Amino acid sequence: MEQANVVIIGGGVVGCAIARALSSCWSDVFVLEALPKIGMGASSRNSGVIHSGLYYPPGSLKARHCVRGNELTYEFCAAHDVPHRKTGKLVVASSATESQELIALMKNGEANGVEGMRIIDRPAIRAREPHVSGYRAIEVPSTGIVGSEELTKAYARVAKDRGANIVTNASVERLEPDRDGIYVVSTAGEIETRCLVNSAGLFADDVAAMLGSPMAANKIYPVRGEYCELVRSKQHLISGLIYPLPHPEGVSLGVHFTKTVWGNVLLGPTALYLDDKNNYERDRESVETFAHGAKLLLPEIEPSDLIPAYSGIRAKLTPPAKHGEKRIADFIIQLDPRFPRVVQLIGIESPGLTSAPSIGEHVSALVTEILA
């Protein structure tokens, strides 16, 4: 039977970033990914934004890892030729009433250590984005964009170059803990590991339940985010990243415009709670619905300017809220209270892409506690 120091369940961007961090310290690191390729889930079905740390409660893991991850992501992308661009972004208030929320949001970002922000007025918005309508906006210079699929592959490539093993088509079927480690049975074979890292994304609660961990009580609620794309003839309407104020109930950062590293313009994501973690396509939003919501930021947009694009599913830790009730959950990254050789990562949603290298550092320290 194969033996390992560390097995990471989940080959998304966070799992691959953890493998990259661990492979610099430990040999025999394995990543088990259920799908045929790494990063096929939320890691490649997102906006590809390098977030600044503006939105998250001060002192939270999301704030800490986003701010640190922002810096590390730019460094990694530059060092490993990952397509990226530091574009900055605008968070737009549409009225004087919303301006107070804008100021509060900027103060939150400052408390998290986000630097260089400023409030700009309507003429300054128009100077930067001539087709965007807004009363005032926060200009956030540290935000950027990245090729998310390429970023995941780069983390995996560095990990493999250091000796890590990335195994795809490896759906975990059984976990059997004992005093010296965890026995892992997957569709790719059996392996015994001294340390297990649960980075299974949408399915992290299912993996915790398979282990028999009390942390399975942290239920994941799948939330689908859908995107549309501007037709080629209208891509000039947006130059960078344009966000509204975040969703008042905390379920998303709002449907926004993203000019990607490839030059196309995405509009999304929406936020719809699901019963099925694999429901990417059933009952999709119409382009008319997207266009209606987007007109506040981009008045000249019409349904004919949009074509449906992909969708992704977030691993939320909060159930649907009552109207006006705000629910925000932090990342869970900790040693399992019942199984001391297991590191649990549950509820890793946005800003997971940005946070990945910082989460890698965090998990590396926890794994060192286990293996040292």
PDB file of all heavy atoms in Angstrom, residues 131 227-240 256-260 263-268 287 290-291 294 298 300-309:
ATOM      1  N   HIS A 131     -18.820  54.958 -19.819  1.00  0.00           N
ATOM      2  CA  HIS A 131     -20.186  54.470 -20.018  1.00  0.00           C
ATOM      3  C   HIS A 131     -20.877  54.087 -18.712  1.00  0.00           C
ATOM      4  O   HIS A 131     -22.046  53.692 -18.723  1.00  0.00           O
ATOM      5  CB  HIS A 131     -20.170  53.269 -20.965  1.00  0.00           C
ATOM      6  CG  HIS A 131     -19.575  53.579 -22.302  1.00  0.00           C
ATOM      7  ND1 HIS A 131     -20.291  54.163 -23.315  1.00  0.00           N
ATOM      8  CD2 HIS A 131     -18.299  53.424 -22.768  1.00  0.00           C
ATOM      9  CE1 HIS A 131     -19.510  54.337 -24.372  1.00  0.00           C
ATOM     10  NE2 HIS A 131     -18.296  53.902 -24.064  1.00  0.00           N
ATOM     11  N   TYR A 227     -23.155  33.687 -14.972  1.00  0.00           N
ATOM     12  CA  TYR A 227     -22.525  34.794 -15.697  1.00  0.00           C
ATOM     13  C   TYR A 227     -23.115  34.926 -17.087  1.00  0.00           C
ATOM     14  O   TYR A 227     -23.532  33.956 -17.713  1.00  0.00           O
ATOM     15  CB  TYR A 227     -21.022  34.549 -15.856  1.00  0.00           C
ATOM     16  CG  TYR A 227     -20.230  34.628 -14.583  1.00  0.00           C
ATOM     17  CD1 TYR A 227     -20.084  33.511 -13.756  1.00  0.00           C
ATOM     18  CD2 TYR A 227     -19.614  35.815 -14.192  1.00  0.00           C
ATOM     19  CE1 TYR A 227     -19.355  33.571 -12.585  1.00  0.00           C
ATOM     20  CE2 TYR A 227     -18.875  35.889 -13.023  1.00  0.00           C
ATOM     21  CZ  TYR A 227     -18.748  34.764 -12.224  1.00  0.00           C
ATOM     22  OH  TYR A 227     -18.023  34.829 -11.067  1.00  0.00           O
ATOM     23  N   CYS A 228     -23.137  36.161 -17.572  1.00  0.00           N
ATOM     24  CA  CYS A 228     -23.317  36.453 -18.990  1.00  0.00           C
ATOM     25  C   CYS A 228     -22.054  37.148 -19.493  1.00  0.00           C
ATOM     26  O   CYS A 228     -21.237  37.638 -18.706  1.00  0.00           O
ATOM     27  CB  CYS A 228     -24.529  37.358 -19.223  1.00  0.00           C
ATOM     28  SG  CYS A 228     -26.103  36.474 -19.242  1.00  0.00           S
ATOM     29  N   GLU A 229     -21.934  37.187 -20.793  1.00  0.00           N
ATOM     30  CA  GLU A 229     -20.779  37.839 -21.416  1.00  0.00           C
ATOM     31  C   GLU A 229     -21.272  38.887 -22.405  1.00  0.00           C
ATOM     32  O   GLU A 229     -22.270  38.666 -23.114  1.00  0.00           O
ATOM     33  CB  GLU A 229     -19.930  36.791 -22.136  1.00  0.00           C
ATOM     34  CG  GLU A 229     -18.648  37.323 -22.731  1.00  0.00           C
ATOM     35  CD  GLU A 229     -17.796  36.221 -23.342  1.00  0.00           C
ATOM     36  OE1 GLU A 229     -18.032  35.042 -23.037  1.00  0.00           O
ATOM     37  OE2 GLU A 229     -16.892  36.550 -24.136  1.00  0.00           O
ATOM     38  N   LEU A 230     -20.613  40.043 -22.416  1.00  0.00           N
ATOM     39  CA  LEU A 230     -20.950  41.057 -23.410  1.00  0.00           C
ATOM     40  C   LEU A 230     -20.529  40.581 -24.794  1.00  0.00           C
ATOM     41  O   LEU A 230     -19.448  39.999 -24.959  1.00  0.00           O
ATOM     42  CB  LEU A 230     -20.244  42.380 -23.103  1.00  0.00           C
ATOM     43  CG  LEU A 230     -20.778  43.242 -21.959  1.00  0.00           C
ATOM     44  CD1 LEU A 230     -19.996  44.550 -21.887  1.00  0.00           C
ATOM     45  CD2 LEU A 230     -22.253  43.539 -22.115  1.00  0.00           C
ATOM     46  N   VAL A 231     -21.379  40.828 -25.784  1.00  0.00           N
ATOM     47  CA  VAL A 231     -21.001  40.496 -27.160  1.00  0.00           C
ATOM     48  C   VAL A 231     -19.765  41.325 -27.537  1.00  0.00           C
ATOM     49  O   VAL A 231     -19.507  42.388 -26.966  1.00  0.00           O
ATOM     50  CB  VAL A 231     -22.161  40.754 -28.143  1.00  0.00           C
ATOM     51  CG1 VAL A 231     -23.341  39.830 -27.841  1.00  0.00           C
ATOM     52  CG2 VAL A 231     -22.599  42.219 -28.117  1.00  0.00           C
ATOM     53  N   ARG A 232     -19.023  40.813 -28.488  1.00  0.00           N
ATOM     54  CA  ARG A 232     -17.738  41.430 -28.842  1.00  0.00           C
ATOM     55  C   ARG A 232     -17.869  42.914 -29.183  1.00  0.00           C
ATOM     56  O   ARG A 232     -17.034  43.734 -28.798  1.00  0.00           O
ATOM     57  CB  ARG A 232     -17.122  40.677 -30.031  1.00  0.00           C
ATOM     58  CG  ARG A 232     -15.699  41.114 -30.368  1.00  0.00           C
ATOM     59  CD  ARG A 232     -15.159  40.313 -31.532  1.00  0.00           C
ATOM     60  NE  ARG A 232     -15.046  38.908 -31.188  1.00  0.00           N
ATOM     61  CZ  ARG A 232     -13.980  38.365 -30.602  1.00  0.00           C
ATOM     62  NH1 ARG A 232     -12.945  39.130 -30.286  1.00  0.00           N
ATOM     63  NH2 ARG A 232     -13.936  37.081 -30.344  1.00  0.00           N
ATOM     64  N   SER A 233     -18.949  43.265 -29.881  1.00  0.00           N
ATOM     65  CA  SER A 233     -19.103  44.670 -30.323  1.00  0.00           C
ATOM     66  C   SER A 233     -19.365  45.627 -29.169  1.00  0.00           C
ATOM     67  O   SER A 233     -19.281  46.845 -29.341  1.00  0.00           O
ATOM     68  CB  SER A 233     -20.240  44.765 -31.341  1.00  0.00           C
ATOM     69  OG  SER A 233     -21.470  44.371 -30.752  1.00  0.00           O
ATOM     70  N   LYS A 234     -19.668  45.109 -27.970  1.00  0.00           N
ATOM     71  CA  LYS A 234     -19.960  45.965 -26.819  1.00  0.00           C
ATOM     72  C   LYS A 234     -18.904  45.853 -25.705  1.00  0.00           C
ATOM     73  O   LYS A 234     -19.068  46.449 -24.640  1.00  0.00           O
ATOM     74  CB  LYS A 234     -21.340  45.636 -26.242  1.00  0.00           C
ATOM     75  CG  LYS A 234     -22.490  45.911 -27.199  1.00  0.00           C
ATOM     76  CD  LYS A 234     -22.558  47.393 -27.586  1.00  0.00           C
ATOM     77  CE  LYS A 234     -23.630  47.677 -28.606  1.00  0.00           C
ATOM     78  NZ  LYS A 234     -24.965  47.708 -28.034  1.00  0.00           N
ATOM     79  N   GLN A 235     -17.829  45.137 -25.960  1.00  0.00           N
ATOM     80  CA  GLN A 235     -16.811  44.955 -24.922  1.00  0.00           C
ATOM     81  C   GLN A 235     -16.101  46.266 -24.562  1.00  0.00           C
ATOM     82  O   GLN A 235     -15.569  46.402 -23.465  1.00  0.00           O
ATOM     83  CB  GLN A 235     -15.786  43.902 -25.353  1.00  0.00           C
ATOM     84  CG  GLN A 235     -16.359  42.493 -25.352  1.00  0.00           C
ATOM     85  CD  GLN A 235     -15.385  41.447 -25.882  1.00  0.00           C
ATOM     86  OE1 GLN A 235     -14.257  41.768 -26.271  1.00  0.00           O
ATOM     87  NE2 GLN A 235     -15.815  40.194 -25.900  1.00  0.00           N
ATOM     88  N   HIS A 236     -16.159  47.240 -25.478  1.00  0.00           N
ATOM     89  CA  HIS A 236     -15.509  48.529 -25.217  1.00  0.00           C
ATOM     90  C   HIS A 236     -16.234  49.340 -24.145  1.00  0.00           C
ATOM     91  O   HIS A 236     -15.695  50.331 -23.635  1.00  0.00           O
ATOM     92  CB  HIS A 236     -15.452  49.357 -26.511  1.00  0.00           C
ATOM     93  CG  HIS A 236     -16.798  49.813 -26.980  1.00  0.00           C
ATOM     94  ND1 HIS A 236     -17.674  48.981 -27.653  1.00  0.00           N
ATOM     95  CD2 HIS A 236     -17.444  51.003 -26.843  1.00  0.00           C
ATOM     96  CE1 HIS A 236     -18.789  49.641 -27.926  1.00  0.00           C
ATOM     97  NE2 HIS A 236     -18.670  50.876 -27.446  1.00  0.00           N
ATOM     98  N   LEU A 237     -17.462  48.938 -23.788  1.00  0.00           N
ATOM     99  CA  LEU A 237     -18.243  49.700 -22.809  1.00  0.00           C
ATOM    100  C   LEU A 237     -17.650  49.636 -21.407  1.00  0.00           C
ATOM    101  O   LEU A 237     -17.938  50.485 -20.568  1.00  0.00           O
ATOM    102  CB  LEU A 237     -19.689  49.193 -22.775  1.00  0.00           C
ATOM    103  CG  LEU A 237     -20.512  49.364 -24.051  1.00  0.00           C
ATOM    104  CD1 LEU A 237     -21.898  48.768 -23.865  1.00  0.00           C
ATOM    105  CD2 LEU A 237     -20.594  50.833 -24.464  1.00  0.00           C
ATOM    106  N   ILE A 238     -16.828  48.621 -21.133  1.00  0.00           N
ATOM    107  CA  ILE A 238     -16.221  48.442 -19.813  1.00  0.00           C
ATOM    108  C   ILE A 238     -14.708  48.322 -19.973  1.00  0.00           C
ATOM    109  O   ILE A 238     -14.212  47.562 -20.809  1.00  0.00           O
ATOM    110  CB  ILE A 238     -16.770  47.167 -19.125  1.00  0.00           C
ATOM    111  CG1 ILE A 238     -18.265  47.303 -18.845  1.00  0.00           C
ATOM    112  CG2 ILE A 238     -16.003  46.859 -17.837  1.00  0.00           C
ATOM    113  CD1 ILE A 238     -18.637  48.317 -17.799  1.00  0.00           C
ATOM    114  N   SER A 239     -13.979  49.078 -19.147  1.00  0.00           N
ATOM    115  CA  SER A 239     -12.515  49.065 -19.232  1.00  0.00           C
ATOM    116  C   SER A 239     -11.860  48.194 -18.167  1.00  0.00           C
ATOM    117  O   SER A 239     -10.734  47.744 -18.351  1.00  0.00           O
ATOM    118  CB  SER A 239     -11.964  50.491 -19.102  1.00  0.00           C
ATOM    119  OG  SER A 239     -12.482  51.309 -20.120  1.00  0.00           O
ATOM    120  N   GLY A 240     -12.536  48.003 -17.022  1.00  0.00           N
ATOM    121  CA  GLY A 240     -11.876  47.300 -15.918  1.00  0.00           C
ATOM    122  C   GLY A 240     -12.843  46.499 -15.075  1.00  0.00           C
ATOM    123  O   GLY A 240     -13.596  45.670 -15.585  1.00  0.00           O
ATOM    124  N   HIS A 256     -21.408  42.109 -10.965  1.00  0.00           N
ATOM    125  CA  HIS A 256     -20.449  43.132 -11.380  1.00  0.00           C
ATOM    126  C   HIS A 256     -19.901  42.855 -12.780  1.00  0.00           C
ATOM    127  O   HIS A 256     -20.074  41.762 -13.325  1.00  0.00           O
ATOM    128  CB  HIS A 256     -19.297  43.220 -10.370  1.00  0.00           C
ATOM    129  CG  HIS A 256     -18.635  41.899 -10.109  1.00  0.00           C
ATOM    130  ND1 HIS A 256     -18.984  41.083  -9.044  1.00  0.00           N
ATOM    131  CD2 HIS A 256     -17.639  41.246 -10.747  1.00  0.00           C
ATOM    132  CE1 HIS A 256     -18.234  39.996  -9.039  1.00  0.00           C
ATOM    133  NE2 HIS A 256     -17.413  40.058 -10.084  1.00  0.00           N
ATOM    134  N   PHE A 257     -19.242  43.859 -13.326  1.00  0.00           N
ATOM    135  CA  PHE A 257     -18.588  43.732 -14.633  1.00  0.00           C
ATOM    136  C   PHE A 257     -17.099  43.457 -14.437  1.00  0.00           C
ATOM    137  O   PHE A 257     -16.438  44.126 -13.639  1.00  0.00           O
ATOM    138  CB  PHE A 257     -18.744  45.024 -15.441  1.00  0.00           C
ATOM    139  CG  PHE A 257     -20.145  45.276 -15.945  1.00  0.00           C
ATOM    140  CD1 PHE A 257     -21.012  46.106 -15.242  1.00  0.00           C
ATOM    141  CD2 PHE A 257     -20.596  44.688 -17.120  1.00  0.00           C
ATOM    142  CE1 PHE A 257     -22.295  46.354 -15.696  1.00  0.00           C
ATOM    143  CE2 PHE A 257     -21.883  44.932 -17.585  1.00  0.00           C
ATOM    144  CZ  PHE A 257     -22.731  45.760 -16.879  1.00  0.00           C
ATOM    145  N   THR A 258     -16.592  42.480 -15.179  1.00  0.00           N
ATOM    146  CA  THR A 258     -15.168  42.127 -15.118  1.00  0.00           C
ATOM    147  C   THR A 258     -14.601  42.071 -16.520  1.00  0.00           C
ATOM    148  O   THR A 258     -15.042  41.262 -17.347  1.00  0.00           O
ATOM    149  CB  THR A 258     -14.973  40.739 -14.469  1.00  0.00           C
ATOM    150  OG1 THR A 258     -15.560  40.721 -13.177  1.00  0.00           O
ATOM    151  CG2 THR A 258     -13.493  40.402 -14.352  1.00  0.00           C
ATOM    152  N   LYS A 259     -13.631  42.918 -16.803  1.00  0.00           N
ATOM    153  CA  LYS A 259     -12.871  42.786 -18.045  1.00  0.00           C
ATOM    154  C   LYS A 259     -11.736  41.817 -17.752  1.00  0.00           C
ATOM    155  O   LYS A 259     -10.839  42.108 -16.957  1.00  0.00           O
ATOM    156  CB  LYS A 259     -12.320  44.131 -18.508  1.00  0.00           C
ATOM    157  CG  LYS A 259     -11.711  44.085 -19.914  1.00  0.00           C
ATOM    158  CD  LYS A 259     -12.339  45.148 -20.776  1.00  0.00           C
ATOM    159  CE  LYS A 259     -11.991  45.028 -22.244  1.00  0.00           C
ATOM    160  NZ  LYS A 259     -12.675  46.052 -23.027  1.00  0.00           N
ATOM    161  N   THR A 260     -11.773  40.635 -18.347  1.00  0.00           N
ATOM    162  CA  THR A 260     -10.844  39.562 -17.991  1.00  0.00           C
ATOM    163  C   THR A 260      -9.467  39.789 -18.618  1.00  0.00           C
ATOM    164  O   THR A 260      -9.261  40.697 -19.424  1.00  0.00           O
ATOM    165  CB  THR A 260     -11.378  38.202 -18.455  1.00  0.00           C
ATOM    166  OG1 THR A 260     -11.252  38.116 -19.891  1.00  0.00           O
ATOM    167  CG2 THR A 260     -12.837  38.011 -18.054  1.00  0.00           C
ATOM    168  N   GLY A 263      -9.651  39.931 -22.336  1.00  0.00           N
ATOM    169  CA  GLY A 263     -10.283  41.058 -23.003  1.00  0.00           C
ATOM    170  C   GLY A 263     -11.791  40.963 -23.126  1.00  0.00           C
ATOM    171  O   GLY A 263     -12.437  41.945 -23.519  1.00  0.00           O
ATOM    172  N   ASN A 264     -12.375  39.804 -22.813  1.00  0.00           N
ATOM    173  CA  ASN A 264     -13.840  39.731 -22.834  1.00  0.00           C
ATOM    174  C   ASN A 264     -14.402  40.308 -21.542  1.00  0.00           C
ATOM    175  O   ASN A 264     -13.674  40.480 -20.558  1.00  0.00           O
ATOM    176  CB  ASN A 264     -14.313  38.288 -23.059  1.00  0.00           C
ATOM    177  CG  ASN A 264     -13.809  37.324 -22.003  1.00  0.00           C
ATOM    178  OD1 ASN A 264     -12.653  37.385 -21.595  1.00  0.00           O
ATOM    179  ND2 ASN A 264     -14.673  36.437 -21.557  1.00  0.00           N
ATOM    180  N   VAL A 265     -15.685  40.629 -21.534  1.00  0.00           N
ATOM    181  CA  VAL A 265     -16.316  41.263 -20.369  1.00  0.00           C
ATOM    182  C   VAL A 265     -17.413  40.350 -19.833  1.00  0.00           C
ATOM    183  O   VAL A 265     -18.353  40.000 -20.556  1.00  0.00           O
ATOM    184  CB  VAL A 265     -16.904  42.645 -20.717  1.00  0.00           C
ATOM    185  CG1 VAL A 265     -17.613  43.243 -19.500  1.00  0.00           C
ATOM    186  CG2 VAL A 265     -15.798  43.583 -21.196  1.00  0.00           C
ATOM    187  N   LEU A 266     -17.285  39.979 -18.567  1.00  0.00           N
ATOM    188  CA  LEU A 266     -18.286  39.152 -17.887  1.00  0.00           C
ATOM    189  C   LEU A 266     -19.203  40.024 -17.039  1.00  0.00           C
ATOM    190  O   LEU A 266     -18.767  41.036 -16.477  1.00  0.00           O
ATOM    191  CB  LEU A 266     -17.603  38.128 -16.975  1.00  0.00           C
ATOM    192  CG  LEU A 266     -16.732  37.066 -17.646  1.00  0.00           C
ATOM    193  CD1 LEU A 266     -16.009  36.247 -16.586  1.00  0.00           C
ATOM    194  CD2 LEU A 266     -17.562  36.162 -18.549  1.00  0.00           C
ATOM    195  N   LEU A 267     -20.449  39.596 -16.918  1.00  0.00           N
ATOM    196  CA  LEU A 267     -21.410  40.202 -16.008  1.00  0.00           C
ATOM    197  C   LEU A 267     -21.926  39.102 -15.083  1.00  0.00           C
ATOM    198  O   LEU A 267     -22.445  38.090 -15.557  1.00  0.00           O
ATOM    199  CB  LEU A 267     -22.563  40.833 -16.791  1.00  0.00           C
ATOM    200  CG  LEU A 267     -23.742  41.369 -15.981  1.00  0.00           C
ATOM    201  CD1 LEU A 267     -23.300  42.485 -15.039  1.00  0.00           C
ATOM    202  CD2 LEU A 267     -24.852  41.863 -16.918  1.00  0.00           C
ATOM    203  N   GLY A 268     -21.745  39.282 -13.780  1.00  0.00           N
ATOM    204  CA  GLY A 268     -22.168  38.263 -12.821  1.00  0.00           C
ATOM    205  C   GLY A 268     -21.283  38.356 -11.580  1.00  0.00           C
ATOM    206  O   GLY A 268     -20.496  39.294 -11.452  1.00  0.00           O
ATOM    207  N   VAL A 287     -31.189  36.418 -20.114  1.00  0.00           N
ATOM    208  CA  VAL A 287     -30.363  37.599 -20.402  1.00  0.00           C
ATOM    209  C   VAL A 287     -31.143  38.879 -20.097  1.00  0.00           C
ATOM    210  O   VAL A 287     -30.553  39.903 -19.739  1.00  0.00           O
ATOM    211  CB  VAL A 287     -29.837  37.599 -21.855  1.00  0.00           C
ATOM    212  CG1 VAL A 287     -28.827  36.485 -22.069  1.00  0.00           C
ATOM    213  CG2 VAL A 287     -30.970  37.522 -22.865  1.00  0.00           C
ATOM    214  N   PHE A 290     -30.552  39.667 -16.465  1.00  0.00           N
ATOM    215  CA  PHE A 290     -29.210  40.230 -16.301  1.00  0.00           C
ATOM    216  C   PHE A 290     -29.175  41.685 -16.754  1.00  0.00           C
ATOM    217  O   PHE A 290     -28.644  42.559 -16.052  1.00  0.00           O
ATOM    218  CB  PHE A 290     -28.188  39.427 -17.125  1.00  0.00           C
ATOM    219  CG  PHE A 290     -27.577  38.273 -16.414  1.00  0.00           C
ATOM    220  CD1 PHE A 290     -28.148  37.014 -16.469  1.00  0.00           C
ATOM    221  CD2 PHE A 290     -26.402  38.424 -15.688  1.00  0.00           C
ATOM    222  CE1 PHE A 290     -27.576  35.941 -15.823  1.00  0.00           C
ATOM    223  CE2 PHE A 290     -25.816  37.355 -15.039  1.00  0.00           C
ATOM    224  CZ  PHE A 290     -26.406  36.098 -15.104  1.00  0.00           C
ATOM    225  N   ALA A 291     -29.725  41.961 -17.923  1.00  0.00           N
ATOM    226  CA  ALA A 291     -29.679  43.316 -18.473  1.00  0.00           C
ATOM    227  C   ALA A 291     -30.442  44.298 -17.593  1.00  0.00           C
ATOM    228  O   ALA A 291     -29.975  45.430 -17.367  1.00  0.00           O
ATOM    229  CB  ALA A 291     -30.234  43.318 -19.892  1.00  0.00           C
ATOM    230  N   ALA A 294     -28.337  45.178 -14.613  1.00  0.00           N
ATOM    231  CA  ALA A 294     -27.079  45.855 -14.946  1.00  0.00           C
ATOM    232  C   ALA A 294     -27.268  47.298 -15.382  1.00  0.00           C
ATOM    233  O   ALA A 294     -26.304  48.078 -15.399  1.00  0.00           O
ATOM    234  CB  ALA A 294     -26.355  45.081 -16.046  1.00  0.00           C
ATOM    235  N   LEU A 298     -24.708  50.375 -16.008  1.00  0.00           N
ATOM    236  CA  LEU A 298     -24.419  50.571 -17.436  1.00  0.00           C
ATOM    237  C   LEU A 298     -25.741  50.792 -18.166  1.00  0.00           C
ATOM    238  O   LEU A 298     -26.323  49.857 -18.714  1.00  0.00           O
ATOM    239  CB  LEU A 298     -23.689  49.338 -17.979  1.00  0.00           C
ATOM    240  CG  LEU A 298     -23.050  49.461 -19.363  1.00  0.00           C
ATOM    241  CD1 LEU A 298     -21.908  50.476 -19.366  1.00  0.00           C
ATOM    242  CD2 LEU A 298     -22.549  48.099 -19.833  1.00  0.00           C
ATOM    243  N   GLU A 300     -26.826  51.884 -20.943  1.00  0.00           N
ATOM    244  CA  GLU A 300     -27.081  51.589 -22.358  1.00  0.00           C
ATOM    245  C   GLU A 300     -27.126  50.099 -22.681  1.00  0.00           C
ATOM    246  O   GLU A 300     -27.338  49.707 -23.834  1.00  0.00           O
ATOM    247  CB  GLU A 300     -26.046  52.282 -23.247  1.00  0.00           C
ATOM    248  CG  GLU A 300     -24.609  51.897 -22.978  1.00  0.00           C
ATOM    249  CD  GLU A 300     -23.642  52.911 -23.601  1.00  0.00           C
ATOM    250  OE1 GLU A 300     -23.335  52.772 -24.804  1.00  0.00           O
ATOM    251  OE2 GLU A 300     -23.191  53.822 -22.876  1.00  0.00           O
ATOM    252  N   ILE A 301     -26.959  49.232 -21.690  1.00  0.00           N
ATOM    253  CA  ILE A 301     -26.955  47.801 -21.963  1.00  0.00           C
ATOM    254  C   ILE A 301     -28.354  47.313 -22.311  1.00  0.00           C
ATOM    255  O   ILE A 301     -29.344  47.770 -21.752  1.00  0.00           O
ATOM    256  CB  ILE A 301     -26.371  47.012 -20.761  1.00  0.00           C
ATOM    257  CG1 ILE A 301     -25.975  45.603 -21.186  1.00  0.00           C
ATOM    258  CG2 ILE A 301     -27.348  46.974 -19.595  1.00  0.00           C
ATOM    259  CD1 ILE A 301     -25.188  44.849 -20.132  1.00  0.00           C
ATOM    260  N   GLU A 302     -28.429  46.387 -23.270  1.00  0.00           N
ATOM    261  CA  GLU A 302     -29.688  45.764 -23.690  1.00  0.00           C
ATOM    262  C   GLU A 302     -29.532  44.243 -23.669  1.00  0.00           C
ATOM    263  O   GLU A 302     -28.411  43.733 -23.774  1.00  0.00           O
ATOM    264  CB  GLU A 302     -30.070  46.223 -25.108  1.00  0.00           C
ATOM    265  CG  GLU A 302     -30.298  47.725 -25.253  1.00  0.00           C
ATOM    266  CD  GLU A 302     -31.479  48.232 -24.447  1.00  0.00           C
ATOM    267  OE1 GLU A 302     -32.362  47.407 -24.103  1.00  0.00           O
ATOM    268  OE2 GLU A 302     -31.529  49.450 -24.149  1.00  0.00           O
ATOM    269  N   PRO A 303     -30.645  43.514 -23.551  1.00  0.00           N
ATOM    270  CA  PRO A 303     -30.537  42.051 -23.564  1.00  0.00           C
ATOM    271  C   PRO A 303     -29.777  41.502 -24.768  1.00  0.00           C
ATOM    272  O   PRO A 303     -29.062  40.500 -24.660  1.00  0.00           O
ATOM    273  CB  PRO A 303     -32.002  41.592 -23.569  1.00  0.00           C
ATOM    274  CG  PRO A 303     -32.737  42.694 -22.875  1.00  0.00           C
ATOM    275  CD  PRO A 303     -32.034  43.957 -23.296  1.00  0.00           C
ATOM    276  N   SER A 304     -29.918  42.154 -25.915  1.00  0.00           N
ATOM    277  CA  SER A 304     -29.229  41.692 -27.125  1.00  0.00           C
ATOM    278  C   SER A 304     -27.715  41.839 -27.035  1.00  0.00           C
ATOM    279  O   SER A 304     -26.978  41.294 -27.869  1.00  0.00           O
ATOM    280  CB  SER A 304     -29.743  42.459 -28.343  1.00  0.00           C
ATOM    281  OG  SER A 304     -29.539  43.857 -28.177  1.00  0.00           O
ATOM    282  N   ASP A 305     -27.231  42.584 -26.021  1.00  0.00           N
ATOM    283  CA  ASP A 305     -25.797  42.767 -25.838  1.00  0.00           C
ATOM    284  C   ASP A 305     -25.159  41.625 -25.035  1.00  0.00           C
ATOM    285  O   ASP A 305     -23.940  41.619 -24.829  1.00  0.00           O
ATOM    286  CB  ASP A 305     -25.508  44.074 -25.088  1.00  0.00           C
ATOM    287  CG  ASP A 305     -26.002  45.295 -25.846  1.00  0.00           C
ATOM    288  OD1 ASP A 305     -26.020  45.244 -27.088  1.00  0.00           O
ATOM    289  OD2 ASP A 305     -26.379  46.285 -25.186  1.00  0.00           O
ATOM    290  N   LEU A 306     -25.978  40.679 -24.557  1.00  0.00           N
ATOM    291  CA  LEU A 306     -25.494  39.644 -23.647  1.00  0.00           C
ATOM    292  C   LEU A 306     -25.716  38.249 -24.207  1.00  0.00           C
ATOM    293  O   LEU A 306     -26.710  37.981 -24.877  1.00  0.00           O
ATOM    294  CB  LEU A 306     -26.228  39.753 -22.301  1.00  0.00           C
ATOM    295  CG  LEU A 306     -25.989  41.032 -21.493  1.00  0.00           C
ATOM    296  CD1 LEU A 306     -26.971  41.097 -20.327  1.00  0.00           C
ATOM    297  CD2 LEU A 306     -24.553  41.092 -20.989  1.00  0.00           C
ATOM    298  N   ILE A 307     -24.766  37.357 -23.900  1.00  0.00           N
ATOM    299  CA  ILE A 307     -24.931  35.937 -24.199  1.00  0.00           C
ATOM    300  C   ILE A 307     -24.638  35.153 -22.918  1.00  0.00           C
ATOM    301  O   ILE A 307     -23.762  35.539 -22.144  1.00  0.00           O
ATOM    302  CB  ILE A 307     -24.014  35.465 -25.346  1.00  0.00           C
ATOM    303  CG1 ILE A 307     -22.560  35.859 -25.091  1.00  0.00           C
ATOM    304  CG2 ILE A 307     -24.482  36.020 -26.676  1.00  0.00           C
ATOM    305  CD1 ILE A 307     -21.589  35.342 -26.130  1.00  0.00           C
ATOM    306  N   PRO A 308     -25.388  34.074 -22.657  1.00  0.00           N
ATOM    307  CA  PRO A 308     -25.132  33.296 -21.442  1.00  0.00           C
ATOM    308  C   PRO A 308     -23.716  32.717 -21.439  1.00  0.00           C
ATOM    309  O   PRO A 308     -23.205  32.267 -22.465  1.00  0.00           O
ATOM    310  CB  PRO A 308     -26.181  32.175 -21.510  1.00  0.00           C
ATOM    311  CG  PRO A 308     -27.243  32.700 -22.421  1.00  0.00           C
ATOM    312  CD  PRO A 308     -26.519  33.553 -23.428  1.00  0.00           C
ATOM    313  N   ALA A 309     -23.084  32.741 -20.269  1.00  0.00           N
ATOM    314  CA  ALA A 309     -21.750  32.164 -20.097  1.00  0.00           C
ATOM    315  C   ALA A 309     -21.849  31.037 -19.058  1.00  0.00           C
ATOM    316  O   ALA A 309     -22.912  30.451 -18.868  1.00  0.00           O
ATOM    317  CB  ALA A 309     -20.759  33.249 -19.688  1.00  0.00           C
TER     318      ALA A 309
END
